[in-house]
Amino acid sequence: MNKIPNGRWIHIIPATILVYIVAFMDRTNISFAIAGGMDKALGMTASISGLAAGIFFVGYLFLQVPGGHIAEHGSAKKFIAWTIVFWGGAAILTGFITNTWQLLAIRFILGVAEGGVYPAILTILSHWFPSEERARANAYFQMNVAIASIITGPFSGLIIQAFGWREVFIIEGLISLILIFVWLPLVSDHPRDAKWITKEEREYIERKLAEEQALFKKNEVGKASYKEIFSNINMWKLIGIYFAMQVGFYGFSLWLPTLLKQITKTGMGMVGFLSIFPYVMTIIGQYIFAQLCNRTMNRKLYTALPILGFAICLTLAIITKSNIWLSYSFMVLCGTFLQAATGPFWTMPPALFSAEVAGGARGIINALGNLGGFIGPYLVGFITTAVNQNAAIYTLVGFLVAGALLTFSLPTQVGGLRIAKEKLNLTTS
């Protein structure tokens, strides 16, 4: 049998990674701008700074479901191209604000503009990568968060040091607009739309996706309205799992620099350097667990294991705080599990819902689950103030354990054994 060409990995994956790296940069560079003098220039209190960072996630909710629906039933490529223009424009405008009300309004608009990008990209990946490749494709895409976390700090810091806090928004916003010239020529909505794809690769993808839809019909999971999806307990389990994952991720991301500074007693330069290594391990962890998921098709197991691994390493990092480098080692290990569940996790909605509603379902899960991005950092700050830092981190651990238990409670069709059996029957029939 001839080897199937791999053009989809060269054209689709790099473009989606690059788009979301820049989006994540525009989302998080406010923290560096605040540290670089924006708070003093605008007279911002700590509470206003927190609100400015968090209001993004309120705006982020609005296009999650419409974005997934448009991507599935219209053109995800064109939709993302327009959102790039709007979020890049909002990012640039942030560099010209003169008061906190303008900042809050633009941060909200930025959240709205970016809100549909994530479910739209996941929809594109589901059009290009069959089920046995999807966890790896999702994991490659999810690596953007780790890569963005590694480069955003040094890059934003250099801009602020050389020019100022306003320029960090303007320059990084302009980079967003340049993305259009990468996105449009590389990405197509479906294999049938791409001019660069070979006949063999197109036929392979279309055949595999047709087999997937045959499984949906055979298992009677393909006929469902949005009303039925909202009343489906599995939908709410997926939301709960993703919420727990986001609480852990954003809570850890906020806590990491603070704890590194506490345990190492070093300056911010060394803290910035040490914070790189957990995110390097994040990339490795994503690849390993995606490969294991693809090999076994056991989506439940390889979603739950990284969540539990994250919870265990987080606990050990707190217990060993008195030993600087042992505690730091566990923090680096936290990075291995930090985003490793996301690739396998995002293969589960298409296994539970048909293509007609899977795009919208992804949007709903991402919208409600991403509220954890607001709750996680807030809980760390609130509980640290009310009790202590250890109690705050153990709260994050509790959310992670709950997320893992919810994952194990999902039906067997995302566990791997049933799908493997069905695929064998299809192949031999």
Side-chain angles (χ1 to χ4, degrees), residues 151-366:
I151 66 175
T152 295
F155 185 55
S156 298
L158 286 173
I159 294 173
I160 292 172
Q161 185 175 335
F163 304 104
W165 66 266
R166 292 185 182 276
E167 283 74 12
V168 78
F169 295 114
I170 296 169
I171 292 172
E172 293 178 4
L174 287 170
I175 291 173
S176 298
L177 297 182
I178 294 171
L179 282 177
I180 291 290
F181 301 102
V182 176
W183 178 257
L184 291 177
L186 284 182
V187 176
S188 300
D189 288 303
H190 299 274
R192 63 178 179 267
D193 302 323
K195 296 179 180 179
W196 49 263
I197 195 171
T198 64
K199 179 183 177 182
E200 292 80 8
E201 186 171 9
R202 184 181 66 251
E203 290 177 349
Y204 164 77
I205 296 169
E206 290 176 348
R207 186 183 80 251
K208 286 292 186 179
L209 294 179
E211 288 176 1
E212 268 184 56
Q213 286 304 301
L215 283 179
F216 289 138
K217 292 177 181 178
K218 188 172 182 179
N219 294 329
E220 296 183 344
V221 296
K223 300 293 184 180
S225 66
Y226 284 109
K227 181 179 179 181
E228 290 169 330
I229 287 174
F230 271 113
S231 63
N232 188 325
I233 186 62
N234 292 323
M235 178 68 173
W236 291 103
K237 286 181 180 180
L238 290 173
I239 291 169
I241 294 163
Y242 196 60
F243 180 88
M245 289 164 59
Q246 296 302 91
V247 168
F249 172 73
Y250 283 102
F252 176 82
S253 298
L254 176 74
W255 160 74
L256 181 61
T258 301
L259 190 57
L260 283 176
K261 188 171 179 63
Q262 287 178 354
I263 66 172
T264 61
K265 311 296 183 186
T266 57
M268 287 305 296
M270 179 57 72
V271 167
F273 174 74
L274 292 174
S275 68
I276 290 174
F277 294 98
Y279 294 109
V280 171
M281 295 303 297
T282 297
I283 297 173
I284 297 171
Q286 285 181 301
Y287 178 80
I288 291 172
F289 280 93
Q291 288 288 78
L292 290 170
C293 180
N294 279 340
R295 190 176 304 157
T296 64
M297 295 297 288
N298 196 328
R299 301 173 176 94
K300 283 202 302 186
L301 180 64
Y302 291 108
T303 298
L305 283 182
I307 298 174
L308 283 176
F310 184 14
I312 292 168
C313 290
L314 201 53
T315 302
L316 292 173
I318 291 297
I319 292 174
T320 60
K321 278 174 68 174
S322 59
N323 187 319
I324 295 174
W325 298 113
L326 183 58
S327 180
Y328 176 67
S329 297
F330 284 122
M331 281 187 271
V332 173
L333 282 176
C334 281
T336 307
F337 303 109
L338 189 62
Q339 289 272 284
T342 52
F345 174 84
W346 285 115
T347 66
M348 291 195 289
L352 292 169
F353 308 109
S354 70
E356 286 76 14
V357 294
R362 279 187 287 258
I364 295 166
I365 294 164
N366 197 45

Side-chain angles (χ1 to χ4, degrees), residues 58-81:
V58 179
Y60 197 71
L61 295 172
F62 281 77
L63 281 181
Q64 290 289 301
V65 177
H69 185 82
I70 292 168
E72 194 65 63
H73 298 277
S75 172
K77 175 181 178 176
K78 293 179 182 177
F79 175 76
I80 292 174

Side-chain angles (χ1 to χ4, degrees), residues 7-59:
R8 60 197 180 280
W9 296 97
I10 299 169
H11 285 78
I12 304 300
I13 295 296
T16 57
I17 289 176
L18 187 58
V19 164
Y20 218 77
I21 283 175
V22 179
F24 194 84
M25 182 183 295
D26 286 333
R27 178 188 310 184
T28 58
N29 58 13
I30 187 172
S31 60
F32 298 97
I34 290 171
M38 184 173 73
D39 55 344
K40 296 181 178 62
L42 300 181
M44 296 167 61
T45 63
S47 59
I48 292 295
S49 297
L51 180 60
I55 200 170
F56 170 92
F57 287 99
V58 179

